[in-house]
Amino acid sequence: MKKHLLIFGLSAGLFLQPVLAQKKATSKTPTKSAAATKADNAVPLDPAVKVGKLPNGFTYYIRRNVEPKNRVTIYLANKAGSILENDNQRGLAHLMEHMSFNGTKNFPKNELVNYLQKTGVRFGADLNAYTSFDETVYQLPIPSDDPTIVKNGLQIMRDWAQDATLDPAEIDKERGVVLEEKRLGKGAQQRMQDQYLPMLFNNSRYSNRLPIGTEDVLKNASAQTIKDFYKDWYRPNLQALIVVGDINVDEMEQMIKAKFSDLKNPVNAKPRTQYDIPLMGKNQFITVTDKEFPVTVAQILIKHKEQPLLTKTDLRNSVIRSLYNQMIAARFSELSKQANPPFLQAGSNISGFLAGLDAATTFIAAKPGEFEKGLKTTFTEVERVKRFGFTTTELERAKSSFLTRQESAFKEKDKTSSDSFVQEYVQLFLKGSVSPGIEYEYNLYKEALPTITLAEVNSLAKTYITDTNRDVIIMAPEKDKATLPTEATVNEWINSVLKDNIKPYVDEVSNKPLLANKPVGGKVVSENKIPEIGVTELTLSNGVKVILKPTDFKNDEITFYGFSPGGTSLYSDADYQSAANAASIISRGGVGEFNSLQLPKYLTGKRVSVSPMITERTEGISAFTSPKDLETALQLTYLYFTAPRKDPEIFKGIMSQQKGNLANRDSDPNSVFSDTTSAVLGQNNVRRTGPTVEKLNQINLDRAYEIYKERFADASDFTFTFVGSFDIAKIKPLLEQYLGSLPSTKRKESAVDLGIRPPAGVIAKNVYKGQEPKASVRLFFSGDYTYNQANNNQLDALAEVLTIKLIERLREDEGGVYGVGASASYSKLPANRYSLSISFGCAPENVDKLVASTLDEISKIKNNGAQAVDIQKFVAEETRGTETQIKTNQFWLGSIVGAYQNGEDPKEVLTYVDSLKLVTPESLKQAANTYLSGKNYIKFVLLPEKK
Ligand SMILES: [Zn+2]
């Protein structure tokens, strides 16, 4: 959401860090320290980025990059965040960030947002900012083909750097917005975090400087206190401007010099202290429970000093860490594929933590009643790695995957997005991390990989899995409090694992080919071109239709999607659970001769992902591959049609994990609310009500397998769409061989209309769940519809104009919400229907008032039409958005598949922007009266439990 805030939190997500995030990694003490070696070990800065520093200390990074074309992304980074706040300022770094959008010298009041929206910049999605402990970063992506917009963009940055107005009346209005943002974060996670964070942060300054701050400060801090923070910390020697885009570097540098040279550092500036989290040299333990927390989770963090990513040695060590993380993740993934997996989810890795620390983190979400077993199994796995290390074949695979990822990044070097360069330079400024460019990195990795030994990788476990500086955090449902282990018990468990007779890991690899015999292919029997959109349609001899759109948007990417009508709509309610889960259950069992453990090993070093799926109205294949692995992707596709695997062990495992995931679902307010809205909108049809254990019990593996085979038995009514970097003549033989050989019975099938519609009339549904004083509101309008581009445009415009109006009213004027949005959806199949839904979170006592304000804004459009300026913003956003979207593979895949599914003209995409001319104040007045008449209107409200 707009003006968002990064709060440090712990969750399962912590484990899924991208490789890039792991780059700020480890390094062992360099063995040589001679000056010559030091120079050898230095990593140069990418010559394509121009770095400079003005006499006042203001830093800038400029790079020309044309992905996307005619755009430039500008960031302002401040080395100032909540850690610098005084006690009476807790929360003000973040409130300050908000105030930058509420009046500056050259853009008074809401003019800044207003101006940018008119240029097509979306508030929230494009224009945004975040506040963290150590930094506040503002982001602004703008068109670069209009010099006025670029000039104003720089002016906005200049204003943010030192010229925020900080009008006390505006501050008072924004307090409400930030308090609402804080309210959204309330709940079980936050209540538990409040208890364990001081321990996790070793009672350092970080423990009581969470960016969101305290309610007292947010409500009562004077305007002067905020101004003090701004004056002390927004200063040129702590700031950098990062500019990457379709611009002239020298001209940009001159403009920056002209605009930012007069920024002043305060006289007697306060020192910018670098705070850290000291290591305690001891172990810590805490259990926290909560009524609304559904599962028992343990996190074990072993903290270590962080080594910055500065030298070649550091880069090499970061590769070693990445290989380690990849191999241990694969081991845990295998464990989770057992018939009776010992946990719902578990993992272990080494990564950056915070404030000068790294951590080896081990995580487990336990199955109900199996905490001890789960935790011991998890420890055992980590201990196995520590005791025996990895195997040579595991390391080979990890190296191969790592190299494949780097190769791909290198191939895309002229297609790298400006945003990703900007992110890298922000880290370069904030942390000094190296940024040599992909060419340098790729060459370094290629050289380093063969020299990395198994012993080096294995030594990481011994270095990082230590028995000091270890924190154990256990989070659990309140009702399980009595059964939770004490610190002594957990220590006993750990010791028992250490004494266990653990066996080394055995790596089972299959040497079979994926496809023993290549199928006898078909032929292209007809070919048709749609030159306006660069599309070629092929029909193969077995009836399969192939739509091809070669592009040069990426160098190393092909995406494809095949579908045919049918889906779960063809099965009875009794079969529904088996049908709806068939594709995921069958595909998780592997394919052909490869089970689910062997398949990922076989695919190592290939960039390919192929997934079968069965939706309500279609069955199909969704795939992604690099051009060099297209044949593998097509072989997998062929196998998912002709040789699906039924694996009873995997099935048992999936069921037991799914059941564990559902335990205590009714204690989580958000799950209860979303299950309720979905059930009401689907009139309690079993295909729309929330998941239950009873429903899981209805899944029958044999029936699921049967349904799967039935869905993929006939490819003659399938349409496959390929978008990406390929040459039609070159891939045609592959398409003929693997898609032309798919089974064909020429059966006639179409999806069935199940008749599931939202109820008509006016309905109010309150759900009472949760302890915090917070409410969620969803207003839902729906009805019959005439589906066509003109009407779709009106509905989209109505939703966007309403969103603009509701943000102005509910957020900016009334300070009653953090975010609010309206979204439209429409369908042609199974029936012409539309819906428009408006959602926001707020204080329970404000629900009625804010719903009334919402309905009032709707009435205004109904009575007076929309305002021309809001339509101008909508059209600018869509026009600018389409300019960049239309240069991506994802956009074309979605648009072509959508057109073929709905029987529409795929060329309509070309007239889209022009067709927006028909959106006028008057047309939206009509649209509001038609679609928001209130005849079919459902109000859902989630409120706290009645005490
Ligand atoms: Zn915020």
Side-chain angles (χ1 to χ4, degrees), residues 331-343 367 373 377 381 384 588 596-597 647-657:
R331 292 239 181 133
F332 273 99
S333 164
E334 287 201 353
L335 269 183
S336 74
K337 287 174 182 167
Q338 296 177 355
N340 187 17
F343 40 65
K367 285 160 86 174
K373 181 182 156 200
T377 314
E381 216 42 46
R384 197 191 316 278
R588 279 172 66 181
S596 64
L597 301 188
D647 191 325
E649 298 288 291
I650 289 284
F651 175 68
K652 272 189 222 150
I654 297 174
M655 286 302 107
S656 102
Q657 281 185 322

Side-chain angles (χ1 to χ4, degrees), residues 795-899:
L795 252 184
D796 283 336
L798 184 59
E800 181 55 22
V801 163
L802 251 179
T803 300
I804 292 170
K805 279 281 153 285
L806 293 176
I807 289 174
E808 284 172 7
R809 171 97 174 249
L810 272 55
R811 173 174 162 131
E812 306 299 341
D813 291 349
E814 300 181 359
V817 302
Y818 171 62
V820 51
S823 68
S825 87
Y826 28 77
S827 65
K828 184 176 180 180
L829 295 168
N832 275 249
R833 297 281 305 180
Y834 79 91
S835 69
L836 190 142
S837 153
I838 300 167
S839 307
F840 56 86
C842 65
E845 63 272 22
N846 289 338
V847 168
D848 291 342
K849 188 187 101 185
L850 293 167
V851 169
S853 298
T854 303
L855 297 179
D856 184 48
E857 288 303 317
I858 292 174
S859 303
K860 282 188 197 160
I861 301 177
K862 280 179 168 173
N863 295 328
N864 315 324
Q867 292 189 316
V869 61
D870 293 338
I871 293 172
Q872 186 193 342
K873 289 174 181 175
F874 165 74
V875 174
E877 281 170 15
E878 290 299 307
T879 307
R880 288 303 192 174
T882 305
E883 280 173 14
T884 50
Q885 281 292 304
I886 208 154
K887 300 220 166 64
T888 66
N889 293 332
Q890 288 66 28
F891 173 84
W892 278 104
L893 187 72
S895 147
I896 293 172
V897 170

